[in-house]
């Protein structure tokens, strides 16, 4: 059934009220189709297995973690240039056999700093005979990753995005009731995308995002800048900035620790890992209170 379906599908482009001539689509799955994710997983699973079985790349506690994939976005992890070249060779062979095309212009190379040591010259790495450009940062699934493993750039990304969303809400929904505005704020400004992955950041960066969060609420509901942040959130029955962080971190922590995925199990079962240490410290330090009733953080 699937073979007949894909062998006989045709496409047209609609512009205003005009339709183009029909044409065939020779590769790819149907965008938005219910079966498309499963079909693509079956198609690319052989490549992931091949990378896992070559015995090179990064590993944690004996678990091979040399590739991370989400749909067609793939990251290769390697402790050396030689191992990375070998993994790219596996990808090139799989692509040749299965009709897969890589975009060399969108593929980049980043070298992480090891214990503060920054490598200057690195041997070139090629994909389909094209030298990959070395970058200091790149965005993977919307999260900004930098060579120094700091999260300040990603926090700044979220701060800018929140400012845009807040201005849009304040402009379009100025005439709505207070209850509607609070609901919109919770939906659009409390997401803090990938905030549960932030581990290494400066206090300046996180404070800038907190101030943006507080000001966004003030602007949306029409409060003066000098009003107390804790009082306005308590009155509106809305989580303050650090409460949102704790919720997001706790949610991801419980979901990953209960996952059957081997990579997630390795990362979250190690209590001495930076990620788990930060998660636990965030919950204990921020939620704890002294005898005087003041928060410790």
């Amino acid at each position: 059934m699937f073979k007949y379906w894909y062998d006989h599908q045709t496409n047209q482009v609609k512009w205003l009220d005009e339709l183009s001539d029909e044409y065939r689509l020779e590769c790819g799955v149907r965008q938005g189709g219910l079966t498309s994710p499963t079909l693509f997983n079956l198609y690319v699973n052989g490549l992931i297995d091949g990378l896992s079985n070559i015995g090179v790349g990064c590993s944690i506690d004996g678990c091979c973690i040399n590739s991370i994939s989400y749909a067609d976005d793939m990251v290769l992890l390697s402790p050396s240039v030689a191992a990375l070249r070998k993994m790219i060779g596996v990808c090139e062979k799989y692509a040749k056999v299965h009709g897969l095309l890589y975009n060399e212009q969108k593929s980049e190379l980043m070298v992480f700093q090891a214990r503060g040591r920054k490598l200057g010259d690195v041997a070139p790495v090629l994909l389909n005979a094209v030298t990959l450009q070395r970058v200091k940062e790149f965005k993977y699934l919307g999260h900004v990753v930098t060579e120094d493993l700091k999260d300040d750039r990603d926090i700044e990304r979220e701060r800018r995005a929140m400012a845009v969303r807040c201005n849009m809400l304040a402009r379009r929904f100025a005439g709505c009731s207070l209850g509607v505005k609070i609901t919109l704020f919770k939906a659009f400004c409390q997401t803090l995308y990938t905030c549960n992955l932030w581990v290494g950041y400066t206090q300046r960066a996180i404070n800038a995002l907190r101030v943006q969060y507080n000001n966004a609420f003030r602007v949306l509901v029409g409060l003066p800048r000098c009003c107390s942040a804790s009082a306005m959130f308590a009155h509106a029955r809305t989580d303050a900035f650090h409460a949102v962080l704790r919720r997001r971190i706790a949610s991801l922590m419980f979901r990953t620790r209960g996952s059957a995925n081997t990579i997630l199990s390795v990362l979250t079962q190690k209590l001495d890992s930076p990620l788990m240490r930060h998660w636990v410290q965030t919950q204990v330090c921020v939620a704890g209170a002294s005898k005087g009733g003041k928060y410790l953080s």
Side-chain angles (χ1 to χ4, degrees), residues 104 121 131 152 181 209 224 251 257 285 295:
E104 299 86 0
D121 297 329
T131 302
D152 286 12
K181 291 180 179 179
L209 179 59
S251 174
R257 299 203 74 185
C285 293
Y295 288 108

Side-chain angles (χ1 to χ4, degrees), residues 2-297:
F2 284 116
K3 186 177 187 304
Y4 182 87
W5 187 9
Y6 276 92
D7 282 345
H8 293 80
Q9 67 177 349
T10 58
N11 302 273
Q12 288 179 290
V13 177
K14 184 176 182 180
W15 178 258
L16 298 179
D17 294 328
E18 299 294 329
L19 287 175
S20 70
D21 296 334
E22 291 186 355
Y23 63 94
R24 291 285 305 279
L25 192 63
E26 302 296 339
C27 62
V29 293
R30 297 169 64 92
Q31 184 172 0
L34 295 178
T35 59
S36 296
T38 302
L39 291 175
F40 184 80
N41 287 342
L42 293 172
Y43 171 75
V44 79
N45 189 64
L47 173 59
I48 298 175
D49 286 342
L51 290 170
S52 300
N53 294 330
I54 59 175
V56 300
C58 295
S59 64
I60 300 178
D61 283 355
C63 178
C64 182
I65 308 179
N66 59 8
S67 67
I68 301 175
S69 299
Y70 183 86
D72 59 345
D73 290 322
M74 174 175 282
V75 170
L76 300 181
L77 302 173
S78 171
S80 66
V81 171
L84 181 59
R85 287 172 174 170
K86 187 173 182 179
M87 286 190 289
I88 291 179
V90 173
C91 294
E92 291 175 339
K93 291 179 181 178
Y94 189 89
K96 186 176 181 180
V97 173
H98 294 83
L100 184 64
L101 296 176
Y102 292 111
N103 190 333
E104 299 86 0
Q105 304 303 319
K106 291 185 177 180
S107 301
E108 298 172 329
L109 169 70
M110 188 165 70
V111 181
F112 293 105
Q113 298 179 18
R115 297 183 178 89
R117 295 181 300 169
K118 186 174 182 179
L119 297 177
D121 297 329
V122 176
V125 178
L126 281 64
L127 175 63
N128 295 331
V130 177
T131 302
L132 297 181
Q133 179 186 4
R134 181 179 174 181
V135 297
K136 295 183 178 180
E137 65 176 55
F138 75 96
K139 185 181 290 186
Y140 183 63
L141 302 181
H143 182 88
V144 179
V145 183
T146 60
E147 63 178 3
D148 60 358
L149 296 176
K150 301 298 182 182
D151 295 312
D152 286 12
R153 284 285 293 111
D154 193 64
I155 293 175
E156 176 62 16
R157 169 203 57 78
E158 179 60 23
R159 189 194 67 79
R160 292 175 180 269
M162 183 182 296
V164 172
R165 295 195 298 268
C166 171
N167 291 334
M168 178 272 295
L169 294 176
R171 183 175 65 254
R172 294 186 180 182
F173 302 97
C176 293
S177 65
L178 178 62
V180 171
K181 291 180 179 179
I182 293 176
T183 301
L184 290 171
F185 177 82
K186 292 179 179 179
F188 287 90
C189 297
Q190 288 189 344
T191 52
L192 298 182
Y193 182 67
T194 71
C195 68
N196 30 34
L197 299 179
W198 298 337
V199 175
Y201 51 81
T202 62
Q203 198 62 38
R204 179 179 181 180
I206 201 71
N207 282 340
L209 179 59
R210 177 183 57 81
V211 171
Q212 183 66 59
Y213 178 87
N214 295 344
N215 288 338
F217 188 81
R218 292 188 180 102
V219 170
L220 185 59
V221 301
L223 294 174
R225 284 183 174 269
C226 59
C227 68
S228 169
S230 57
M232 69 180 183
F233 286 124
H235 181 73
R237 298 180 181 274
T238 304
D239 286 339
F241 176 75
H242 287 293
V244 175
L245 281 182
R246 292 197 302 272
R247 285 179 179 271
R248 295 287 184 269
I249 291 173
S251 174
L252 182 62
M253 181 171 62
F254 284 114
R255 284 186 289 120
T256 52
R257 299 203 74 185
S259 173
N261 184 281
T262 55
I263 295 178
L264 294 180
S265 298
V266 170
L267 294 176
T268 56
Q269 297 300 330
K270 289 178 64 66
L271 298 180
D272 59 340
S273 68
L275 189 62
M276 279 301 301
R277 187 165 57 247
H278 176 74
W279 283 354
V280 173
Q281 183 181 10
T282 301
Q283 299 296 324
V284 173
C285 293
V286 178
S290 65
K291 292 183 179 180
K294 297 181 179 180
Y295 288 108
L296 296 177
S297 63

